Amino acid sequence: MKTQILKRVMMLLVIVLSISCSKDDDVPVVNPGVTLIEKEGEWSCNLSETCQDIYKFQFKAGSRISISIEEVTGSSVVSLDVYVDFGEIGGPNLLTNGGITHYGCTGQNEEVSLGNILLPEDETYNIAVARDWGLSAGFDGTYKLTVISDTPFLEGEVMDDAAASDYERECI
């Protein structure tokens, strides 16, 4: 009797284990991405330097994104640069019609909201959030960055307090 019960338990265990295995077990999990991301950021700039935090994101061609910078502190004046990553800081800014200037239309501690920005390529894009030295007061400040996309995207690395060389600002 004990032998039959043991055989049945073993048989049941084999069946349960074989059912739980599937051919898809070896398929790697793909990160589907997100459509909204919020980041708390801060600047700590050197004397007479416009510095920027650069966020990398992978977007699909045809994506439409919105960017907002809120909760700005430190008497900071914000400007933005959105460009395709090509291994260097800066590039043709989608917000200034391909110019090399940062987009900036605000005063100290004012928020920035831009919507319906069309991204033309499947690419890694940099979103640079700069603190304008000439218009800001002091050395540091904080902000909250929000990026929303109509398609899923992936987050990459962040470069904090990079110098914005040859910095110019334009309000379009």
Side-chain angles (χ1 to χ4, degrees), residues 78-98:
V78 176
S79 59
L80 294 171
D81 194 359
V82 177
Y83 58 95
V84 172
D85 183 52
F86 59 97
E88 294 182 26
I89 293 177
N93 188 350
L94 295 175
L95 304 177
T96 58
N97 299 319

Side-chain angles (χ1 to χ4, degrees), residues 55-80:
Y55 299 85
K56 294 183 182 289
F57 299 106
Q58 292 177 4
F59 290 101
K60 295 180 178 131
S63 295
R64 293 198 177 271
I65 66 169
S66 296
I67 302 170
S68 67
I69 310 297
E70 301 171 305
E71 302 172 16
V72 180
T73 68
S75 299
S76 302
V77 176
V78 176
S79 59
L80 294 171

Side-chain angles (χ1 to χ4, degrees), residues 65-166:
I65 66 169
S66 296
I67 302 170
S68 67
I69 310 297
E70 301 171 305
E71 302 172 16
V72 180
T73 68
S75 299
S76 302
V77 176
V78 176
S79 59
L80 294 171
D81 194 359
V82 177
Y83 58 95
V84 172
D85 183 52
F86 59 97
E88 294 182 26
I89 293 177
N93 188 350
L94 295 175
L95 304 177
T96 58
N97 299 319
I100 57 170
T101 57
H102 281 64
Y103 172 85
C105 296
T106 62
Q108 291 182 351
N109 293 345
E110 289 183 359
E111 298 178 349
V112 177
S113 288
L114 301 169
N116 205 26
I117 303 163
L118 177 63
L119 303 178
E121 303 174 42
D122 278 356
E123 206 47 82
T124 298
Y125 286 84
N126 293 331
I127 298 177
V129 182
R131 183 176 190 273
D132 188 302
W133 174 263
L135 299 174
S136 299
F139 295 87
D140 54 10
T142 61
Y143 61 90
K144 181 174 90 173
L145 166 68
T146 304
V147 178
I148 301 171
S149 176
D150 65 347
T151 61
F153 63 95
L154 299 174
E155 178 182 7
E157 63 188 46
V158 178
M159 183 184 304
D160 289 322
D161 300 330
S165 59
D166 299 324

Side-chain angles (χ1 to χ4, degrees), residues 23-65:
K23 293 180 182 179
D24 294 337
D25 285 348
D26 296 332
V27 176
V29 175
V30 176
N31 185 343
V34 297
T35 56
L36 177 138
I37 198 159
E38 294 180 327
K39 294 289 196 179
E40 300 290 328
E42 63 180 301
W43 304 283
S44 182
C45 304
N46 294 323
L47 179 64
S48 73
E49 173 187 79
T50 294
C51 68
Q52 58 190 346
D53 294 341
I54 302 171
Y55 299 85
K56 294 183 182 289
F57 299 106
Q58 292 177 4
F59 290 101
K60 295 180 178 131
S63 295
R64 293 198 177 271
I65 66 169

